[in-house]
């Protein structure tokens, strides 16, 4: 595929990349990454981390650097937030995924996080892509909200071509004319990615829908479509969330979703052992 030297897969090559993070293998089975939109304080992060761990999540998410639409909204705790995340990992054993928004912060974020997230607004921030391409940390690359599949894969190529082979793609919804949902979650892109790329692809149904009621069905849809996992926002006390409270899933509901995912995985395994991993 033109320009996609490292991100594309040859039609006859069925091998897929598995990104290993501290014992978690993304690209094998179905990985669930869960946690708050933003790290607000120690108590909120530790409680949520313990609750998602108990429910069976494999990794913890949480933003310390928040790219907000308004400069007056909560921007994240920055370095103190990274330290809280790293202590939450000590407490639960869950590897940490967190967003980096500025090339100047990359080395600091690497000290505290296991996976660097590039958010939708920065998908084509080429200076940032090159910077994360030079470090020894996996990168979770969200799809730009206006990006085509080819534009998205070319951004993965930026990271790969700098020498970092550990790229995970994340579909998080695109902008369409629809306003009922926050974004339009493009589930069809999952099998499309798998057709032309060897990179693991996960789905973020929280930002993809923006509505709590839609997160569970879209999580199940992601699994059924062949995604390698989901990234989902969970908060120990959603009404108090400082960021994205309308899509914050309470822990008991998350535990229920995890049970349904397990049942669907078993069913998929019966149909086609390879499909569900
Ligand atoms: C996030 O996952 O915290 C986030 C800001 O997501 P996105 O970049 O997809 O909006
Ligand atoms: Mn969010």
């Amino acid at each position: 595929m033109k320009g996609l030297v490292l991100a594309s897969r040859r039609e006859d090559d069925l091998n897929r990349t598995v990104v290993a993070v501290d014992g978690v293998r993304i690209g094998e089975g179905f990985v669930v990454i869960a946690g708050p939109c933003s790290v607000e304080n120690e108590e909120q992060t530790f409680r949520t981390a313990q609750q998602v761990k108990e429910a069976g999540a494999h990794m913890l998410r949480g933003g310390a650097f928040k790219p907000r639409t308004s400069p007056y909204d909560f921007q994240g705790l920055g370095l103190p937030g990274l330290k809280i995340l790293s202590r939450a990992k000590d407490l639960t054993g869950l590897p940490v995924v967190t967003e980096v928004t500025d090339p100047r912060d990359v080395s600091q974020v690497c000290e505290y996080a296991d996976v660097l997230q590039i958010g939708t607004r920065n998908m084509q921030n080429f200076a940032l892509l090159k910077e994360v391409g030079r470090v020894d940390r996996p990168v979770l690359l969200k799809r730009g909200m206006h990006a085509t599949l080819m534009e998205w894969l070319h951004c993965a190529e930026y990271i790969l071509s700098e020498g970092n082979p550990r790229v995970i793609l994340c579909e998080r919804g695109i902008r369409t004319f629809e306003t009922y949902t926050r974004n339009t979650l493009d589930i069809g892109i999952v099998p499309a990615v798998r057709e032309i790329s060897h990179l693991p692809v996960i789905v973020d149904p929280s930002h993809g829908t923006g509505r709590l009621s839609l997160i569970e069905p879209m999580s199940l849809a992601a699994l059924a479509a062949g995604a390698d996992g989901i990234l989902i926002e969970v908060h120990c006390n959603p009404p108090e969330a400082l960021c994205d409270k309308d899509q914050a899933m309470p822990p008991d509901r998350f535990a229920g979703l995890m049970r349904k995912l397990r049942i669907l995985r078993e069913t998929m395994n019966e149909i086609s052992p390879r499909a569900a991993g």
Side-chain angles (χ1 to χ4, degrees), residues 19 21 33 59-60 62 65 82 95-103 105-119 128-142 159 164 166-170 231:
V19 174
V21 189
I33 305 169
M59 297 178 76
L60 175 67
F65 295 98
L82 294 176
V96 163
V97 182
T98 198
E99 180 163 354
V100 58
T101 55
D102 188 320
D105 295 331
V106 169
S107 62
Q108 185 175 62
V109 176
C110 285
E111 282 177 43
Y112 297 96
D114 300 286
V115 176
L116 308 179
Q117 178 173 315
I118 302 292
L128 184 59
L129 296 179
K130 286 183 187 174
E131 199 62 37
V132 299
R134 295 187 197 117
V135 298
D136 184 22
R137 284 283 178 283
V139 178
L140 192 153
L141 178 65
K142 287 201 161 190
I159 302 168
N164 187 344
R166 294 196 287 170
V167 176
I168 305 146
L169 300 167
C170 179
L231 175 94

Side-chain angles (χ1 to χ4, degrees), residues 62-216:
F65 295 98
K66 293 305 301 175
R68 302 303 301 278
T69 300
S70 165
Y72 308 115
D73 286 340
F74 177 58
Q75 302 285 309
L77 297 178
L79 178 59
L82 294 176
K83 292 184 174 169
I84 291 173
L85 282 170
S86 140
R87 286 200 295 276
K89 181 188 180 186
D90 294 341
L91 210 66
T92 59
L94 295 176
V96 163
V97 182
T98 198
E99 180 163 354
V100 58
T101 55
D102 188 320
R104 293 167 296 187
D105 295 331
V106 169
S107 62
Q108 185 175 62
V109 176
C110 285
E111 282 177 43
Y112 297 96
D114 300 286
V115 176
L116 308 179
Q117 178 173 315
I118 302 292
T120 191
R121 295 162 187 80
N122 273 313
M123 184 201 76
Q124 281 185 322
N125 180 337
F126 299 115
L128 184 59
L129 296 179
K130 286 183 187 174
E131 199 62 37
V132 299
R134 295 187 197 117
V135 298
D136 184 22
R137 284 283 178 283
V139 178
L140 192 153
L141 178 65
K142 287 201 161 190
R143 180 182 183 183
M145 61 182 93
H146 304 286
T148 64
L149 173 55
M150 284 304 150
E151 286 163 342
W152 187 19
L153 290 178
H154 277 89
C155 293
E157 191 79 22
Y158 264 90
I159 302 168
L160 298 167
S161 63
E162 288 295 325
N164 187 344
R166 294 196 287 170
V167 176
I168 305 146
L169 300 167
C170 179
E171 159 62 28
R172 51 78 68 201
I174 50 174
R175 281 267 169 99
T176 67
F177 52 82
E178 183 56 72
T179 53
Y180 183 74
T181 47
R182 184 176 176 183
N183 291 286
T184 297
L185 189 60
D186 185 6
I187 289 286
I189 212 71
V190 171
V193 166
R194 294 175 66 97
E195 224 160 65
I196 60 173
S197 176
H198 55 88
L199 295 171
V201 55
I202 68 166
V203 169
D204 170 355
S206 301
H207 295 91
T209 65
R211 283 178 179 261
L212 181 56
S213 60
L214 305 183
I215 296 173
E216 179 174 296

Side-chain angles (χ1 to χ4, degrees), residues 36-38 61 66 142 182 204 206-207 233 243-244 247:
C37 179
S38 57
R61 62 145 287 141
K66 293 305 301 175
K142 287 201 161 190
R182 184 176 176 183
D204 170 355
S206 301
H207 295 91
E233 288 189 345
C243 186
D244 287 350
Q247 65 193 43

